[in-house]
Amino acid sequence: MAIDDPVRKPQPTQEDPAPAPAAERGTTWSALRPLVLRVHFYAGLLIAPLLLVAATSGLLYALSFQAEKFLYSNELEVPVGERTLPVGDQLAAARKAHPEGTVTAVWPSAEDGATTRVLMTSPEVEEGKSLAVFVDPYTAEVRGELTSYGSSGALPLRIWLDELHRDLHLGDLGRHYGELAASWLWVVALGGLLLWLGRRRTSKRELIVPERGAKGRRRTLSWHGTVGMCAVLGLVLLSATGLTWSRYAGENIGAVQDQLGGATPVVSAALAEGGGDGGGEHEGHGGGSGSHTGTAGKDVGIDNALAAARQAGIDGKMSVILPSDGSGYVVKETDTQFPVHLDSVAVDPADGRVMDELRFADYPLLAKLTRFGIDAHTGVFLGLVNQLALAALAFALIMLIVWGYRMWWLRRPTKERRLSAGRPMPRGAWRKVPVTVLLPLVALTALAGWFVPLLGISLLVFLAVDVVVGLVARARARTAA
C-alpha cells in the first residue's frame, strides 16, 4: 500500500475529517502516526516503481499457466489410445530422437491424453535448464521438444516471464531489484494497515468497503485503504516467500531454518558409501551438470522401478530420476494439489528393492510450511485457484500503487507551483514518539535491517538523502531570512 501523506495540517473540509478530540491527543498512536506516515510516504514513493514491475510481471506469470496449455497443446496432449506402452519404450524413443542428450528424469503420463515428458541435458539448452522431449504414451511417437525448468516443469513462455519477474533478464545484477521490492513490500503493506486501522471513521464497514459518496482524493484514499486492507495478508506472504529466493536475505532465512531443524529432508538413494545422492530437491529438473551415465552393473529398468515404487505407495503424478554413478532410482510424487502427495522412495537398480522411503507426513512442520509457501508463490499449490489468487493480488498491488501516486499528486500545493508534487510529513516526527516506544522500535528496525540487508541499506540511504535535503532546505531558509 502506498502513499497517504498530507502537505500540511489542512483545515477541516468535506474531504478531511475534523481534528481528533483532545482526549485522543497525546496517545502513543498519535505520536507514532506521523513517523509511520513519513516512512510509508517515502517507501511508497521510491519503491513503488520496483513493486509495479514485480506486480505486472507477476500478473503475467500467473496467467501463463493456462496460456501454456494453449500454446503447447501439441506437445502436452495426444488422442487417448487403447493402452499405454511401457515407460521404457517411451524412454527409448526419446533417446533415439535425441542421442546427443543424457536423460536425467522421466515424468510418466499421469492422466488420459497427457504425454510423457523425458528430461535430458543437451547442448541445445543452457546450463540450469533441461530439454523436455514429449512422447505419446500410446504410440511412443515423439511429439516435440521444448526447454523446461524447475520442478513445476515450466516451459519457454513461463520461463521467460519467471526470469523477467525474478531478475529482469539481467542475471545476478537484476536479482537486486526483486530482493529490494520484496524487502520493502511487507513494510509498506503493514505500515498502510496501521494507518488505515488508526484512521477515524463513522462506520466499521468503511474498513473493507469503499466510502459512498466520497469524491476526489478522499474517494481515492477510500479505495486505496479498503483494497489494501483486503490484500495485506497476501502481500505480506508474497514478500516473505519471495525473500526465500533472494540472495542476501535468503541466506539468512535458510540459516535460521536449518538452526530450527526445518531443512527439507531428502530420500537417500546412495548405493554405497560415497555414492551419489540422487534425491536433491531440484535434481533432474534443472538440467544439473552432474553426469548421469547410469550404473555400471545390472539395471532392472524404469518400469520395474516404477512397479516397486507403486507397491510402496507412490502413485499419481510422478517424477523418476534415473540412476547415476553410485545412486539408484528416485521416484517422487509431484502432486502439489491439496492435499499434497509428495512422498518419495529410492529403488536399487540392481534388484528393484526399495532402499529408502520418505513420507511428506514426516517432514518437519517448518519444512512443510516452507514448501506450501513456495508452491503458493509459484502458483502450483492449488492449481487454477492459486493462479487466480496470485493474479488478483498482483492486480490489487498495481491499483494500490496507481491510487497512491494519484493521492500524492492530488495533495500537491498548487498555489505555490502548478507542477509541484505532494510532500511528506514534516521532519522530526520521531521526536514526538515516547522513548519507551522509540527505543524498541529502533532495535527492531536495526534487527530487520540486519536480517534483510537490502532493506537496511536502502533505509540508511533514504535517511541520508533526507538529512541532506533537510540541511539544504534549512540553509536556503537562512539565506532567504
Side-chain angles (χ1 to χ4, degrees):
M1 295 186 291
I3 303 129
D4 174 18
D5 104 288
V7 179
R8 50 192 177 273
K9 294 181 179 178
Q11 296 299 317
T13 65
Q14 183 181 1
E15 294 193 5
D16 292 288
E24 295 183 12
R25 298 171 187 170
T27 64
T28 300
W29 171 242
S30 64
L32 190 60
R33 182 179 183 276
L35 180 61
V36 175
L37 196 54
R38 187 170 177 82
V39 173
H40 190 68
F41 172 84
Y42 271 127
L45 183 66
L46 301 176
I47 301 299
L50 302 181
L51 292 175
L52 185 60
V53 173
T56 304
S57 58
L59 174 61
L60 295 175
Y61 173 84
L63 300 177
S64 68
F65 287 83
Q66 303 306 314
E68 279 188 340
K69 295 180 180 179
F70 174 76
L71 288 176
Y72 308 123
S73 59
N74 180 70
E75 289 82 5
L76 297 173
E77 301 174 2
V78 293
V80 179
E82 295 182 1
R83 66 181 183 87
T84 59
L85 298 174
V87 177
D89 293 348
Q90 302 172 49
L91 176 57
R95 280 177 166 152
K96 182 178 180 180
H98 291 274
E100 79 288 353
T102 301
V103 177
T104 57
V106 178
W107 297 5
S109 172
E111 56 187 24
D112 294 341
T115 54
T116 291
R117 193 178 305 195
V118 179
L119 303 178
M120 55 177 65
T121 58
S122 171
E124 300 178 20
V125 295
E126 60 184 287
E127 185 179 359
K129 298 182 177 67
S130 298
L131 179 67
V133 181
F134 299 86
V135 183
D136 188 329
Y138 307 103
T139 64
E141 174 194 0
V142 173
R143 301 279 296 184
E145 50 279 317
L146 295 167
T147 302
S148 178
Y149 176 78
S151 57
S152 64
L155 297 176
L157 173 64
R158 188 147 46 105
I159 293 174
W160 192 89
L161 290 173
D162 175 65
E163 292 176 349
L164 175 67
H165 180 68
R166 186 174 64 245
D167 58 22
L168 301 177
H169 295 281
L170 297 176
D172 289 338
L173 178 63
R175 290 183 64 186
H176 293 93
Y177 123 83
E179 183 167 358
L180 193 59
S183 299
W184 276 97
L185 177 57
W186 66 274
V187 177
V188 177
L190 293 180
L193 176 64
L194 289 176
L195 292 171
W196 188 243
L197 292 176
R199 186 177 179 83
R200 293 187 300 110
R201 51 182 52 84
T202 58
S203 171
K204 292 183 179 180
R205 180 177 179 272
E206 295 176 4
L207 273 172
I208 56 175
V209 178
E211 184 179 352
R212 293 180 180 178
K215 297 180 180 180
R217 180 184 177 278
R218 186 166 179 173
R219 179 183 179 183
T220 303
L221 175 61
S222 178
W223 278 97
H224 181 82
T226 54
V227 172
M229 179 76 178
C230 296
V232 63
L233 178 61
L235 295 178
V236 171
L237 291 177
L238 281 180
S239 175
T241 52
L243 285 173
T244 61
W245 285 294
S246 63
R247 182 174 182 179
Y248 302 108
E251 293 179 359
N252 292 333
I253 293 173
V256 170
Q257 187 176 354
D258 291 343
Q259 289 292 328
L260 296 177
T264 302
V266 174
V267 66
S268 175
L271 299 176
E273 185 177 355
D277 187 308
E281 179 69 14
H282 298 288
E283 183 171 350
H285 304 309
S289 58
S291 174
H292 294 263
T293 57
T295 52
K298 181 180 178 181
D299 188 345
V300 298
I302 189 171
D303 289 287
N304 288 325
L306 278 169
R310 289 191 175 100
Q311 289 181 355
I314 307 299
D315 205 355
K317 295 176 63 176
M318 290 186 288
S319 166
V320 184
I321 299 175
L322 300 191
S324 59
D325 292 335
S327 66
Y329 287 97
V330 175
V331 184
K332 301 180 178 182
E333 292 177 336
T334 59
D335 184 6
T336 55
Q337 302 289 316
F338 188 82
V340 300
H341 296 91
L342 298 173
D343 298 344
S344 57
V345 297
V347 179
D348 191 332
D351 54 16
R353 173 179 57 88
V354 174
M355 301 183 294
D356 189 28
E357 300 181 10
L358 178 61
R359 305 295 173 180
F360 185 71
D362 298 329
Y363 278 35
L365 177 60
L366 187 56
K368 289 181 180 178
L369 294 177
T370 300
R371 181 64 194 245
F372 290 148
I374 291 176
D375 286 351
H377 190 108
T378 55
V380 300
F381 178 40
L382 298 174
L384 180 59
V385 174
N386 192 169
Q387 294 148 27
L388 292 176
L390 284 177
L393 269 178
F395 182 72
L397 181 55
I398 292 172
M399 293 309 301
L400 289 171
I401 294 170
V402 172
W403 287 324
Y405 275 114
R406 175 172 169 76
M407 285 189 294
W408 172 59
W409 180 252
L410 291 175
R411 200 69 177 189
R412 71 194 190 281
T414 54
K415 292 182 179 180
E416 299 177 14
R417 296 188 304 272
R418 293 185 60 84
L419 296 180
S420 60
R423 298 174 181 173
M425 286 294 295
R427 294 179 177 85
W430 61 273
R431 297 189 184 96
K432 300 178 183 179
V433 181
V435 176
T436 54
V437 176
L438 183 62
L439 292 180
L441 184 61
V442 171
L444 288 175
T445 302
L447 179 62
W450 170 81
F451 192 76
V452 186
L454 287 192
L455 173 64
I457 293 172
S458 57
L459 180 58
L460 290 176
V461 172
F462 291 168
L463 291 175
V465 171
D466 192 42
V467 169
V468 171
V469 171
L471 293 175
V472 171
R474 186 178 302 174
R476 288 178 176 176
R478 289 176 179 175
T479 302

